[in-house]
Amino acid sequence: MALLQSSLIWVTYAVALALLVIIAAIFVYIYQSPRDRAASITTVCILTVSTLLATVLLLPVDIALVSSTTSSKTGLKKDWATEDRVDNIVFGLKVVYFTLYSLDALLCLLVVPFTYFFYEEYDDREAEAGTQSIGQRLWAASKYTLVFLFLCIILFLVGFFLPVKEKHKDLDYFKDLLTKNQGERALTFALGLLITLGTLLYVLYTSAGLALLPTTLIRSAPAISAPNLASTAASELEQNRERQRQLELRNEGRETGLEPRDRRELEALVRDERTLVRRERLAAESSGEGHALIKIWSKVGAVFRPFKLIGGMLLLLVAVVIWVSMLITAIDKAKNSICGTHCGYLLGHINIFQPMNFIFVAASRVFPIDYILFLLLVLFFFSASVIGIATVGIRFLWIVLFKIRKGKTSPQALLMATVMLLLMSLAINYALAMVVAPQYATYGPQTFCDRLPRHPGEEPNCTGHEKRIKPCTELAENPAAAEICTPSVASTFINSITVNFPFFGVVIFWAQFAFLGKSATFVVQILQSADHDAGVFLIVLVTTLVRTPKLDTDELDEDLEDEEEEGLLSSTGRRFNATWQDITGRARKANPVSYGSTGGGSGSRS
C-alpha cells in the first residue's frame, strides 16, 4: 500500500512535469520574435522555465510523501512507517531538491549567461564571409562566462567558511536546522542569496502582475468587433479616396502643382489611407475571411468572452484572498515569532486563522486535490510575474533596457526575462511555503495524539479522545510529536537558510510587506485611472534618489503600425456590443465621415 501510494504521488509529479514543459514552450513561443529565433536560446529558455516550475511544484509532492507516513485520524505513525522508511523518503526528497536547486543555480549563473554571450558574438557579415566559426564564438562566450564562474566560486567559498552563530540551543528544532555539513552550508548560502535577489524582483514585478492579471482578463473583450471594424474602415477608406480624387481634380492642369494647403491635406489623407488599409486587413484576418477554421475559432472566442470576464472576476477574488492571507501571516510572524531577527522571523505555529492555509490543509487530506490547487496557484504567481515583466519591462532604475512583448521579444531580452523569472520563482517558493500556507507547507494534514502513553515504549492512544488529536507544530510540548510528525524537506531547507543566515531571513520577511503594499498601490492606481488603455503608472522604488518609472505610453502608437492597430481590438468601452457583433457577424451602420478641405487634415472619424 505504501509503495502504491508513493508511486501514484511521483506519477502525478511526472504528469505535471510534462505539462510544465508544454507551458514553458508556449510561453517562449508566444513572446519570442519569429524573425530572431535561435535553437540554442529556445532550448535554454524552455529548460530554464521548466526547471523553475518543477522546483516550486515539488512542494506538494514533498508534503504528500511525508504526510503519508502518519494517520490524521489517529494521530499516529502508520504501521509501515518505520524510522528507516521515513529516513529513506526524506533522503530521496533531499536528493531531488538539491538536484533541482543546483540546476537552478547552474542555469542562472552559467548556462544562461553563456548562451547570451554566444548569441551576442554572432556577426552576420563575418558569418557570410566565412571568417567567423562556431569555435570562435564558443571561445569568446566562454571568456565572458568565466566572470560568472568566478562569482559562483566566491559564493560557495563564502558559504563554506562563513561561521554560523548557534543560538537557541535549548530548542531541539533549532538544533536540527543548524547546518553542520560545510558543502550543504555553502549551497544554503548561495541559494539564500539568490532567493534574496529574487525577492527584490518579486516585489517589483510579481506584485504588479498580481493586480494586473485579473484586470487584464476583465478588460479582454474588444471595444470594436471585427465586422464593425471592417465596415467602418471600408466606409472611411471610400470617403478618403474620394477626397483625394477631389483634390487632384481641383488642381489638375496647374503648372505649379498642388497648393501648399492642398498638398498638406493630401499627405494627411495618404497617411490615413495606409492606416485604413491596415484596419481592413486586420479585420479580415480577425474574422477569418477565407479561412473556415479561423472563422470558427473567432466565433467560439467571441462566445466565451463573457466567461473570460467572469474568470477575471474570480481571479480578482482569489488575489484578494491570497493578499489577505499573506498579510495575516506576516503580522503573525512579526508579532509572535519565537526568535525574531535571530532566525528570520520563524513562526512556531499559526496563531491567527488564515484562509489559504485552511483551504490547503483541508484539501491535502485527499491527494491530488491539494496538488491541483497548488499547481493553479503556482501558475497564477508565474503568470503574474510574466505580466509584471511585460508591463514594466526590463529596467535599470528608470532606464528601459528591454521590452517584453508578444511576438516581438528579442533573444537577449528573452534570456534576461528567463533569469528574472527563475530568481522570482525562488522567491515565490519561499512566499508559498512560509507566508501563503505555512502550516500546509510544513506538516500538511499531519496530526499527533497529545496524550501520554500508558506504559513506557508504547504509543499514545487517543481512541475516545478525538479532541486530543492536534495538528503538528514545530513547538509541540509533547515529546511524542517529534516522533510522529515529519516536517517537509522544503520547509526544513528554507528554515535552515533563515536560521543559519538570519540576514537573508530578515530581508525576505520584510520584503513581504513591501510586496503587499506594492500590489495594493497598483489596485488603487487601476481604480483611479481615468483611461485604462492609456497606461497604468508604476512606482518601482519609493525613494527620493530614484525617479519613478512610468509605463511607455508610446507603445499604443507602435502597436498601430507594428501590430496593425491591435489596440483597437483590446481597448475599453462597448465590449458587450462588440462581442455580440462578432458572434452574429453583422456590424452596425457606420456613421458618415466627412473629409473637409479646411484644416489640412482628415476631419473626424467615428
Side-chain angles (χ1 to χ4, degrees):
M1 184 64 183
L3 180 61
L4 177 62
Q5 186 176 7
S6 61
S7 299
L8 289 175
I9 293 172
W10 283 114
V11 167
T12 304
Y13 183 63
V15 173
L17 285 182
L19 180 62
L20 293 179
V21 174
I22 296 174
I23 293 173
I26 291 174
F27 161 74
V28 172
Y29 278 100
I30 283 178
Y31 283 92
Q32 193 176 41
S33 174
R35 293 176 298 178
D36 298 324
R37 278 181 182 159
S40 58
I41 291 178
T42 302
T43 303
V44 169
C45 289
I46 292 175
L47 176 62
T48 305
V49 174
S50 302
T51 303
L52 68 89
L53 291 174
T55 304
V56 181
L57 281 177
L58 186 60
L59 178 59
V61 173
D62 181 4
I63 295 165
L65 287 173
V66 297
S67 299
S68 67
T69 61
T70 63
S71 172
S72 58
K73 294 181 179 180
T74 62
L76 300 174
K77 285 282 188 185
K78 293 181 179 178
D79 295 335
W80 61 266
T82 61
E83 185 176 353
D84 291 338
R85 296 287 293 276
V86 174
D87 289 342
N88 288 335
I89 291 175
V90 172
F91 178 76
L93 285 168
K94 279 186 177 181
V95 170
V96 178
Y97 267 114
F98 277 107
T99 302
L100 286 175
Y101 278 129
S102 301
L103 186 58
D104 288 336
L106 184 67
L107 288 168
C108 179
L109 298 175
L110 291 178
V111 176
V112 173
F114 176 84
T115 308
Y116 183 94
F117 294 127
F118 181 77
Y119 181 82
E120 278 287 312
E121 285 298 314
Y122 180 75
D123 187 280
D124 291 332
R125 295 180 179 178
E126 292 184 2
E128 291 177 1
T131 58
Q132 185 184 52
S133 64
I134 295 180
Q136 291 175 327
R137 293 174 63 192
L138 289 172
W139 171 243
S142 300
K143 289 190 295 184
Y144 294 120
T145 310
L146 286 176
V147 178
F148 290 89
L149 180 61
F150 183 67
L151 176 63
C152 293
I153 294 173
I154 291 178
L155 286 179
F156 279 90
L157 287 178
V158 171
F160 192 86
F161 293 106
L162 192 67
V164 177
K165 296 180 181 180
E166 298 189 6
K167 296 186 178 182
H168 301 278
K169 293 183 180 180
D170 54 322
L171 297 176
D172 291 336
Y173 184 71
F174 283 93
K175 291 181 182 178
D176 295 336
L177 291 176
L178 290 171
T179 305
K180 305 297 183 182
N181 184 285
Q182 296 289 345
E184 186 175 341
R185 182 183 300 175
L187 180 60
T188 302
F189 175 81
L191 284 175
L193 180 60
L194 293 179
I195 292 174
T196 304
L197 294 175
T199 301
L200 300 178
L201 299 174
Y202 159 83
V203 170
L204 296 178
Y205 293 100
T206 309
S207 60
L210 192 68
L212 288 172
L213 181 58
T215 56
T216 300
L217 281 178
I218 291 173
R219 306 200 319 253
S220 63
I224 302 176
S225 68
N228 195 34
L229 180 62
S231 175
T232 304
S235 175
E236 292 184 13
L237 185 60
E238 182 180 353
Q239 296 180 51
N240 180 292
R241 288 170 175 169
E242 177 61 29
R243 180 58 185 166
Q244 290 187 51
R245 283 193 294 270
Q246 292 176 4
L247 291 175
E248 291 171 354
L249 289 173
R250 188 169 67 183
N251 292 274
E252 188 176 0
R254 274 180 170 271
E255 295 180 0
T256 57
L258 295 175
E259 293 182 357
R261 180 181 177 183
D262 290 343
R263 184 181 299 107
R264 287 193 299 269
E265 184 180 355
L266 184 61
E267 290 174 354
L269 289 171
V270 171
R271 287 194 299 269
D272 289 342
E273 182 183 18
R274 287 197 296 266
T275 299
L276 292 171
V277 170
R278 286 198 301 269
R279 289 187 190 178
E280 273 195 323
R281 186 166 64 250
L282 174 62
E285 292 174 358
S286 300
S287 61
E289 186 176 311
H291 301 277
L293 290 178
I294 297 178
K295 193 169 186 177
I296 294 172
W297 178 257
S298 177
K299 299 284 186 184
V300 173
V303 170
F304 280 95
R305 276 176 195 152
F307 295 98
K308 292 180 70 176
L309 175 64
I310 296 173
M313 292 180 176
L314 290 176
L315 274 184
L316 184 61
L317 178 62
V318 171
V320 171
V321 174
I322 292 173
W323 191 91
V324 172
S325 300
M326 294 179 69
L327 180 63
I328 291 173
T329 304
I331 294 174
D332 196 4
K333 281 176 171 281
K335 183 179 179 181
N336 303 309
S337 175
I338 53 182
C339 50
T341 58
H342 300 302
C343 64
Y345 292 91
L346 192 67
L347 187 64
H349 59 87
I350 293 178
N351 300 278
I352 309 173
F353 175 77
Q354 207 254 51
M356 288 298 295
N357 187 77
F358 173 80
I359 292 172
F360 274 99
V361 171
S364 63
R365 301 181 189 278
V366 183
F367 188 85
I369 294 179
D370 64 318
Y371 197 92
I372 296 173
L373 293 177
F374 197 84
L375 173 62
L376 295 176
L377 184 63
V378 169
L379 292 179
F380 177 70
F381 272 87
F382 176 76
S383 301
S385 302
V386 172
I387 292 292
I389 295 176
T391 303
V392 182
I394 300 175
R395 297 170 179 261
F396 177 73
L397 300 180
W398 64 87
I399 303 172
V400 179
L401 301 179
F402 295 103
K403 292 182 180 180
I404 307 298
R405 299 176 63 189
K406 293 181 180 179
K408 295 184 178 297
T409 305
S410 66
Q412 298 93 327
L414 191 62
L415 285 171
M416 292 189 68
T418 302
V419 171
M420 293 169 64
L421 285 172
L422 192 151
L423 292 174
M424 280 188 278
S425 72
L426 297 176
I428 290 171
N429 196 22
Y430 172 90
L432 294 178
M434 297 290 108
V435 185
V436 176
Q439 174 66 27
Y440 164 77
T442 305
Y443 288 106
Q446 293 183 71
T447 58
F448 72 97
C449 178
D450 192 16
R451 293 191 70 198
L452 295 175
R454 294 182 179 179
H455 304 286
E458 291 185 357
E459 291 183 336
N461 190 346
C462 283
T463 304
H465 301 275
E466 283 74 16
K467 292 184 179 180
R468 300 297 297 274
I469 300 177
K470 299 180 179 180
C472 292
T473 62
E474 293 94 329
L475 303 179
E477 297 179 358
N478 194 324
E483 300 178 0
I484 297 172
C485 301
T486 305
S488 65
V489 175
S491 65
T492 303
F493 186 75
I494 293 174
N495 286 332
S496 68
I497 293 175
T498 59
V499 171
N500 286 280
F501 308 102
F503 172 76
F504 293 149
V506 171
V507 173
I508 295 170
F509 168 71
W510 287 109
Q512 305 306 315
F513 283 101
F515 173 88
L516 295 172
K518 205 73 171 159
S519 56
T521 302
F522 242 93
V523 173
V524 174
Q525 294 279 4
I526 292 172
L527 292 176
Q528 292 180 347
S529 177
D531 184 3
H532 293 182
D533 291 332
V536 180
F537 296 104
L538 170 68
I539 301 175
V540 175
L541 296 174
V542 183
T543 172
T544 57
L545 300 178
V546 180
R547 186 181 68 182
T548 302
K550 298 180 180 180
L551 300 184
D552 188 1
T553 55
D554 295 333
E555 185 174 335
L556 293 177
D557 296 331
E558 294 177 10
D559 290 342
L560 188 65
E561 296 181 1
D562 297 339
E563 298 184 6
E564 300 188 336
E565 295 187 30
E566 187 182 48
L568 287 172
L569 293 178
S570 59
S571 59
T572 55
R574 306 191 303 278
R575 287 183 170 81
F576 292 101
N577 289 335
T579 299
W580 177 249
Q581 291 164 19
D582 278 339
I583 295 172
T584 59
R586 295 191 297 270
R588 285 184 176 183
K589 185 178 180 180
N591 294 327
V593 179
S594 61
Y595 287 90
S597 59
T598 61
S602 59
S604 62
R605 296 195 300 272
S606 60

